[in-house]
């Protein structure tokens, strides 16, 4: 696949993977992107997942037309991109490995060698001239590991963006970009909003015509759309007006309350209500919804004088990703000593800029006239 006259795609699609990074379901598979820049000298940008080494080398050979690569630029050491560095180094023993100092330290740990005799260490602002193409390196620590560099090709205005601007899904399937890019972003990079903001500042100074990420499609048009979404996500801003209701329910009573609240919100004109049953939905979908909307309602049962396990896990996902800037409503259920609201509020204590609604709904086993009235109040308050 041709990206520009001299930049080619040599990545692979993975439809066999069960869980990406050991936890994310990827119904449409995953792409591990790699690129080759053909100039007087040749640079390969990153490798691919371990299982695709042979396919990758074959694709590279097809693009190289009998030539040999001069460099492998390693932007990120997570094994979905770095696993075939050794294969590359053995296949093309004269080629140099280009990476940050931290990446070489990681290579030593992963592979037992840091390629001391054939390495080029690069940092912020360093460049590598291939001929017509000059590659300028930007550091992007924690987007999404500390060793990450990104690469800007000055000739074609291409930003090789490592994991940034990536998404779940192989490249031979059609799907909406934002949906799977948002789930990917909040799942994988969500904790590092400040670092993504720093990267966006650097990117703003570049004339970018194409973004080549390590996952997902190559972005060539309407780049402002993607950059704006990254701006909103990394600033923990509200992307979509509406309310997300996340609940767990044992015998259906808390679920009934969650669904009744959703109905009331929609009747009262709420533009969008997303409802997630945390025991059954994809947790990563629920997490992206929590960061997408400005208002959230958490509904759960009291359980072992605590809260139901799926809600505990969900709130942990939010807090470890720096959840903030949201309005939060709480619904608790308990048959003899409801404490869930207090526990949930306690778990969210360290989050910045959360506003809790005055109304907390208390259900004693099943909905009553009183708790229905509280739901009505909560709906009014959320839309007020
Ligand atoms: Fe796609 Fe952080 O590796």
């Amino acid at each position: 696949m041709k990206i520009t006259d001299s930049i080619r795609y040599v990545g692979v699609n993975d439809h066999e993977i069960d869980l990406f990074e050991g936890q994310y379901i990827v119904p449409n598979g995953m792409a591990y992107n790699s690129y080759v820049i053909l100039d007087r000298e040749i640079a390969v940008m990153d490798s691919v997942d371990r299982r695709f080494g042979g396919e990758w080398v074959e694709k590279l050979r097809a693009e190289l037309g009998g030539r040999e690569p001069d460099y492998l630029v390693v932007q990120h050491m997570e094994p979905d991109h770095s696993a075939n560095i050794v294969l590359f180094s053995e296949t093309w023993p004269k080629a140099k490995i280009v990476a940050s100092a931290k990446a070489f330290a990681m290579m030593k740990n992963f592979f037992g060698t840091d390629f001391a005799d054939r390495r080029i260490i690069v940092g912020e602002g360093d460049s590598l001239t291939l001929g017509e193409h000059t590659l300028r390196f930007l550091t992007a620590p924690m987007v999404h590991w500390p060793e990450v560099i990104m690469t800007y090709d000055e000739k074609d205005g291409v930003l090789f963006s490592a994991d940034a601007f990536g998404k779940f899904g192989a490249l031979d399937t059609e799907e909406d970009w934002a949906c799977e890019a948002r789930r990917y972003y909040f799942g994988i990079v969500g904790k590092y909003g400040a670092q993504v903001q720093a990267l966006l500042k650097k990117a703003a100074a570049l004339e970018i015509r194409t973004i080549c990420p390590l996952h997902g499609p190559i972005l060539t048009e309407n780049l402002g759309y993607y950059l704006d979404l990254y701006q909103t996500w990394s600033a923990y801003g509200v992307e979509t007006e509406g309310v997300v209701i996340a609940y767990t329910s044992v015998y259906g009573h808390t679920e009934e309350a969650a669904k009744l609240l959703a109905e009331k919100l929609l009747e009262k004109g709420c533009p969008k209500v997303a409802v997630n049953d945390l025991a059954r939905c994809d947790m990563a979908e629920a997490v992206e919804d929590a960061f997408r909307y400005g208002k959230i309602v958490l509904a759960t049962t009291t359980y072992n004088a605590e809260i139901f396990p799926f809600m505990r896990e969900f709130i942990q996902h939010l807090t470890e990703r720096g959840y903030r800037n949201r309005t939060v409503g709480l619904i608790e259920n308990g048959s003899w000593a409801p404490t869930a609201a207090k526990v949930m509020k306690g778990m969210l204590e360290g989050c910045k800029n959360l506003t809790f609604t005055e109304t907390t709904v208390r259900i004693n086993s099943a909905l009553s006239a009183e708790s229905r009235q509280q739901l009505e109040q909560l709906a009014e308050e959320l839309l007020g």
Side-chain angles (χ1 to χ4, degrees):
M1 193 201 319
K2 201 167 164 177
I3 315 267
T4 70
D5 279 346
S6 44
I7 302 178
R8 306 289 154 82
Y9 180 82
V10 287
V12 297
N13 288 317
D14 181 359
H15 287 287
E16 258 103 71
I17 189 167
D18 60 343
L19 292 174
F20 179 65
E21 291 193 358
Q23 60 172 314
Y24 299 101
I25 57 161
V26 280
N28 285 330
M30 203 65 205
Y32 312 111
N33 297 340
S34 169
Y35 308 88
V36 57
I37 306 169
L38 302 162
D39 202 335
R40 187 162 49 71
E41 290 191 297
I42 295 176
V44 176
M45 307 301 292
D46 294 292
S47 83
V48 298
D49 188 80
R50 176 179 54 85
R51 289 167 294 126
F52 297 90
E55 182 182 340
W56 176 61
V57 167
E58 231 172 80
K59 283 188 168 181
L60 266 171
R61 283 198 205 282
E63 294 296 348
L64 290 168
R67 294 176 67 195
E68 295 220 344
D70 297 277
Y71 307 100
L72 173 66
V73 178
V74 176
Q75 300 187 112
H76 182 17
M77 275 303 294
E78 197 165 8
D80 51 334
H81 313 291
S82 69
N84 284 297
I85 293 174
V86 172
L87 175 67
F88 177 95
S89 71
E90 289 168 354
T91 309
W92 291 289
K94 285 188 218 136
K96 296 205 160 43
I97 314 290
V98 181
S100 66
K102 279 200 175 83
F104 283 111
M106 288 182 178
M107 284 180 220
K108 182 96 179 162
N109 292 334
F110 273 114
F111 315 129
T113 174
D114 55 5
F115 300 96
D117 56 337
R118 51 193 293 199
R119 72 178 175 205
I120 300 176
I121 298 173
V122 293
E124 182 70 36
D126 288 346
S127 62
L128 177 70
T129 299
L130 304 175
E132 287 185 18
H133 291 261
T134 294
L135 305 182
R136 192 161 293 284
F137 301 104
L138 300 70
T139 55
M142 302 321 293
V143 189
H144 111 260
W145 277 15
E147 83 297 0
V148 169
I149 55 168
M150 297 187 188
T151 309
Y152 178 67
D153 169 31
E154 292 180 347
K155 176 176 178 284
D156 289 341
V158 175
L159 178 67
F160 296 91
S161 61
D163 273 346
F165 302 100
K167 69 181 267 299
F168 297 126
L171 297 194
D172 53 1
T173 53
E174 282 282 318
E175 63 184 1
D176 177 58
W177 186 86
C179 183
E180 284 296 69
R182 187 190 303 106
R183 189 167 72 96
Y184 167 95
Y185 175 86
F186 284 111
I188 291 170
V189 200
K191 179 180 173 61
Y192 301 108
Q195 289 84 348
V196 175
Q197 291 262 297
L199 165 71
L200 291 174
K201 264 197 199 124
K202 290 185 196 179
L206 305 171
E207 225 181 90
I208 302 170
R209 295 198 286 280
T210 302
I211 297 176
C212 287
L214 287 178
H215 302 288
I218 290 101
L219 308 175
T220 52
E221 279 170 23
N222 199 13
L223 296 187
Y225 168 75
Y226 306 102
L227 289 160
D228 284 353
L229 278 176
Y230 256 61
Q231 180 59 39
T232 303
W233 296 343
S234 58
Y236 303 90
V238 175
E239 180 190 340
T240 307
E241 287 304 326
V243 178
V244 57
I245 303 171
Y247 73 91
T248 67
S249 190
V250 185
Y251 291 106
H253 300 101
T254 315
E255 179 175 53
E256 194 185 347
K259 290 187 171 164
L260 183 59
L261 177 66
E263 263 173 45
K264 285 177 185 293
L265 287 165
L266 289 169
E267 272 168 25
K268 290 175 193 299
C270 185
K272 182 93 176 81
V273 181
V275 183
N276 289 310
D277 173 353
L278 297 176
R280 291 174 180 82
C281 71
D282 167 20
M283 189 64 83
E285 283 279 354
V287 170
E288 68 156 293
D289 276 350
F291 284 93
R292 176 178 185 174
Y293 299 100
K295 294 169 185 174
I296 189 167
V297 175
L298 304 171
T300 197
T301 42
T302 306
Y303 185 84
N304 286 339
E306 260 271 350
I307 52 173
F308 208 60
F310 297 103
M311 179 60 81
R312 168 161 286 282
E313 184 191 339
F314 178 62
I315 295 176
Q316 272 168 353
H317 279 299
L318 302 189
T319 54
E320 71 191 24
R321 286 168 174 76
Y323 198 59
R324 66 188 74 173
N325 304 339
R326 297 301 189 266
T327 299
V328 183
L330 301 171
I331 300 174
E332 66 177 359
N333 195 347
S335 292
W336 60 93
T339 54
K342 193 169 151 226
V343 174
M344 290 191 283
K345 201 168 181 180
M347 285 184 76
L348 292 164
E349 219 160 38
C351 295
K352 289 183 194 157
N353 196 23
L354 294 188
T355 307
F356 288 89
T357 57
E358 278 181 28
T359 309
T360 291
V361 178
R362 170 171 285 192
I363 304 163
N364 291 111
S365 301
L367 279 174
S368 63
E370 198 184 347
S371 50
R372 283 175 196 276
Q373 181 52 35
Q374 288 171 353
L375 282 173
E376 178 71 21
Q377 267 176 35
L378 179 58
E380 294 281 349
E381 215 184 308
L382 286 166
L383 298 177

